[in-house]
Amino acid sequence: MVPSTVAVVEAIDERRSLLTSGADSLDSIALHLALLGIPFTPLEPPELRGRCAVLAGRLSQAANRYPAEEPTP
């Protein structure tokens, strides 16, 4: 599910794993985690939680926008 060239996944217990990764941007990490399709909790860096919130807001707006609406910058 996660290529070894992208991240290292370590089992913590039967239900949890720790994913260690890096990227050029926190948005890239947030999107990659979201695309895994499983629940996750960003641990470090703390700013990653904020980037997840911003991206979640953008995706929510896109999902709820009517086709006739113009996007706001």
Side-chain angles (χ1 to χ4, degrees):
M1 184 180 258
V2 178
S4 61
T5 56
V6 173
V8 175
V9 180
E10 302 170 65
I12 294 175
D13 57 35
E14 292 180 10
R15 297 180 48 114
R16 299 179 303 152
S17 297
L18 177 66
L19 182 137
T20 304
S21 184
D24 291 335
S25 74
L26 294 177
D27 288 349
S28 295
I29 295 173
L31 287 171
H32 182 82
L33 290 170
L35 290 171
L36 291 175
I38 56 175
F40 65 93
T41 303
L43 301 176
E44 294 181 23
E47 297 83 9
L48 182 54
R49 285 182 184 247
R51 296 313 305 159
C52 287
V54 169
L55 291 171
R58 285 185 193 156
L59 291 171
S60 179
Q61 286 177 348
N64 294 307
R65 185 175 290 128
Y66 292 100
E69 279 187 53
E70 289 295 320
T72 55

